[in-house]
Amino acid sequence: MAAAWTVALGLSLLSILWVELVRDSYHTLAHYWTPLYRLHVWHHKVFRPDLTVVDPTIYSRAHWYNDVPEASVMLLCGGLFGWLVQPWVTVGAWLPFLGCFYTLIFLGGAIARGLAVPGADALTDLTHLPGPFTAPPSAWLVNRTYHWRHHFDSQTAYFCGTFSFLDKLMGTALSLKGKTVAVTGAAGGLGQALIVELQRAGATPVALTSGSRALPALFEDLGVRVLHWQVGQEAAIAEDLRRIDILLLNHGVNVLGDRSATAIEQSYEVNAFSQWRLLELFLETVTDNRAIARKEVWVNTSEAEVNPAFSPLYELSKRAIGHLVTLRRLDSPIVLRKLILGPFRSDLNPYGVMSARWVARQVVALAKRDIRNIIVTINPLTYLLFPIKEVSASWYYRLFSRSGRSLTFTDSSAKVHEVINQPREKFLR
């Protein structure tokens, strides 16, 4: 009997997932099949960028032309699913039809909105409510910020309605088209490879370089804008960061076996403090809904966060920035991604076993699937150890620290700039 109920309950949950996949597939098809798009386009006529309604009549028609047909298809497919799997159900014969009951919620809401029932929009159209965003785009559930991007970032991405599973599967959970992506450490092997892959994905890369080495001809060939900056003088490019959608922190230094005081200072200054200051400067540019929805920071912390890199200071400094990003995620108004990369061939590691180009390709592909912790390595232990470390550290920080904005540029700009402009010797105290 227990096994029979387990099967029935499993099929009931599967029926809900099924109708959600039907809805997301219908939505996707509506953007590529003209007959459906003629109905769906009404939905895109409804809202201004602040999600206020352009016209009540258009709002009503959009539900009759798009939402009601969409929910009707979900209901039909949910019923078909229940009918097909019912022979395998010996108890709770109605459970495989749970997806139909679930769909009736959306169908009833769409009809109520089409009839302009007072208050129906506030109760049943949660992803289109106007007002300031209170959270960045969600990772697995579609919130207002996530869905806003479908309307005003890219209509060929962000198709999901409740769960973002199909977007992740199709690589449409993050659109890079038209986004300006600044890459630090751009003159290095990985930096160059990332710029190539980002441009292929439709982004406009900007090369941020702080070194003295000659810049590769690749930048000129691709028409990539180059922005020069200096470690310790991050505030000098604050205005440039306002025009950036995604900041990819990729610069670093590896002093290998050196453990002198100078090596300690250099490792932490470049690998941790400089990246943290740029991150905080970038967060200061997040001032409205558009920025919350579109802006992101990607931080290359490397798998040195959890595994030895046979370079103690590299490991320590990378773990420092890794933990700072984990802590900052708790209050960040935008998405912060980590790049946990294994050994690839570069100036920092000439013995790496992966090519920088292959790593960059994986990074971009996984980012488009909205993976927040992007792991690319040949070491299987990293895929096990890093999630455990990240979850445990996040909960530890959540339990034993409190939300505070006193160190962000937005709330105490003068104080943080004072810290940044202190002589480097003070960072060792």
Side-chain angles (χ1 to χ4, degrees):
M1 180 63 71
W5 277 106
T6 300
V7 170
L9 290 173
L11 289 173
S12 70
L13 294 177
L14 190 60
S15 69
I16 294 177
L17 178 61
W18 166 247
V19 295
E20 278 294 336
L21 288 175
V22 169
R23 174 164 68 165
D24 297 339
S25 300
Y26 180 98
H27 186 189
T28 305
L29 184 62
H31 279 272
Y32 292 96
W33 189 36
T34 303
L36 276 185
Y37 184 72
R38 288 172 180 162
L39 298 175
H40 181 67
V41 72
W42 282 87
H43 180 69
H44 285 279
K45 293 179 179 180
V46 172
F47 301 101
R48 302 183 182 93
D50 62 358
L51 294 181
T52 55
V53 173
V54 171
D55 181 83
T57 302
I58 296 176
Y59 183 75
S60 178
R61 288 181 181 177
H63 292 101
W64 291 118
Y65 295 159
N66 177 74
D67 294 42
V68 170
E70 181 181 76
S72 299
V73 172
M74 291 169 63
L75 188 63
L76 177 64
C77 291
L80 180 63
F81 175 89
W83 177 72
L84 288 174
V85 303
Q86 200 170 37
W88 284 274
V89 178
T90 57
V91 294
W94 60 274
L95 286 172
F97 293 93
L98 189 60
C100 293
F101 295 106
Y102 174 77
T103 300
L104 286 174
I105 298 173
F106 297 101
L107 180 59
I111 292 173
R113 295 192 299 270
L115 294 173
V117 174
D121 55 343
L123 290 174
T124 64
D125 202 12
L126 302 181
T127 56
H128 296 105
L129 294 178
F133 293 153
T134 57
S138 180
W140 292 100
L141 293 175
V142 174
N143 59 1
R144 288 193 304 140
T145 321
Y146 186 102
H147 188 66
W148 181 95
R149 298 185 298 179
H150 176 68
H151 284 268
F152 305 106
D153 182 13
S154 173
Q155 292 187 20
T156 57
Y158 319 112
F159 296 113
C160 293
T162 302
F163 308 107
S164 60
F165 173 76
L166 189 62
D167 275 332
K168 291 182 183 295
L169 189 65
M170 296 191 302
T172 55
L174 174 67
S175 174
L176 293 171
K177 292 182 179 178
K179 287 189 170 69
T180 303
V181 184
V183 182
T184 67
L190 181 61
Q192 294 180 52
L194 284 167
I195 283 174
V196 170
E197 293 303 321
L198 288 166
Q199 192 169 69
R200 286 182 175 178
T204 301
V206 176
L208 267 65
T209 178
S210 61
S212 58
R213 70 166 68 178
L215 296 177
L218 173 71
F219 294 166
E220 185 175 352
D221 295 339
L222 296 178
V224 174
R225 178 190 169 206
V226 177
L227 180 62
H228 294 272
W229 67 287
Q230 293 297 321
V231 172
Q233 300 176 22
E234 290 79 9
I237 60 170
E239 288 303 313
D240 296 283
L241 294 179
R242 295 188 183 279
R243 295 185 288 273
I244 300 300
D245 295 307
I246 298 175
L247 176 63
L248 202 166
L249 298 174
N250 173 62
H251 62 286
V253 64
N254 190 348
V255 297
L256 298 175
D258 192 354
R259 59 172 184 257
S260 65
T262 300
I264 293 172
E265 179 180 7
Q266 183 183 23
S267 296
Y268 275 91
E269 175 70 359
V270 176
N271 294 342
F273 299 147
S274 173
Q275 295 200 7
W276 178 78
R277 291 194 294 264
L278 283 172
L279 187 154
E280 290 295 331
L281 273 169
F282 190 72
L283 291 182
E284 189 185 35
T285 70
V286 181
T287 57
D288 55 21
N289 280 359
R290 177 182 173 84
I292 293 173
R294 286 173 54 91
K295 284 179 176 280
E296 297 189 3
V297 180
W298 304 2
V299 186
N300 178 3
T301 65
S302 94
E303 69 175 353
E305 275 204 73
V306 290
N307 289 323
F310 304 105
S311 177
L313 285 177
Y314 183 79
E315 296 167 21
L316 290 169
S317 54
K318 282 293 188 177
R319 288 172 187 173
I321 188 60
H323 280 280
L324 286 172
V325 173
T326 302
L327 181 68
R328 199 63 178 89
R329 277 175 163 175
L330 299 180
D331 303 306
S332 175
I334 61 174
V335 172
L336 304 183
R337 299 186 196 276
K338 284 189 178 185
L339 312 184
I340 303 94
L341 310 181
F344 59 88
R345 289 187 295 277
S346 67
D347 292 339
L348 297 185
N349 184 11
Y351 308 107
V353 295
M354 300 183 294
S355 74
R357 185 168 184 177
W358 185 83
V359 170
R361 190 176 298 122
Q362 304 311 308
V363 167
V364 172
L366 292 172
K368 290 169 66 176
R369 286 166 171 78
D370 198 21
I371 305 302
R372 304 293 171 92
N373 295 311
I374 298 175
I375 303 175
V376 183
T377 182
I378 59 171
N379 186 351
L381 285 177
T382 304
Y383 294 92
L384 173 66
L385 296 176
F386 182 82
I388 296 173
K389 171 263 171 190
E390 191 68 11
V391 170
S392 59
S394 179
W395 276 105
Y396 174 76
Y397 298 147
R398 191 183 300 272
L399 290 172
F400 293 98
S401 64
R402 62 181 182 273
S403 177
R405 299 169 58 86
S406 61
L407 289 181
T408 63
F409 280 116
T410 302
D411 297 310
S412 58
S413 180
K415 181 177 180 180
V416 179
H417 278 284
E418 180 182 348
V419 173
I420 289 177
N421 292 325
Q422 288 178 355
R424 288 192 178 187
E425 291 77 11
K426 291 191 176 181
F427 287 104
L428 294 177
R429 294 180 180 178

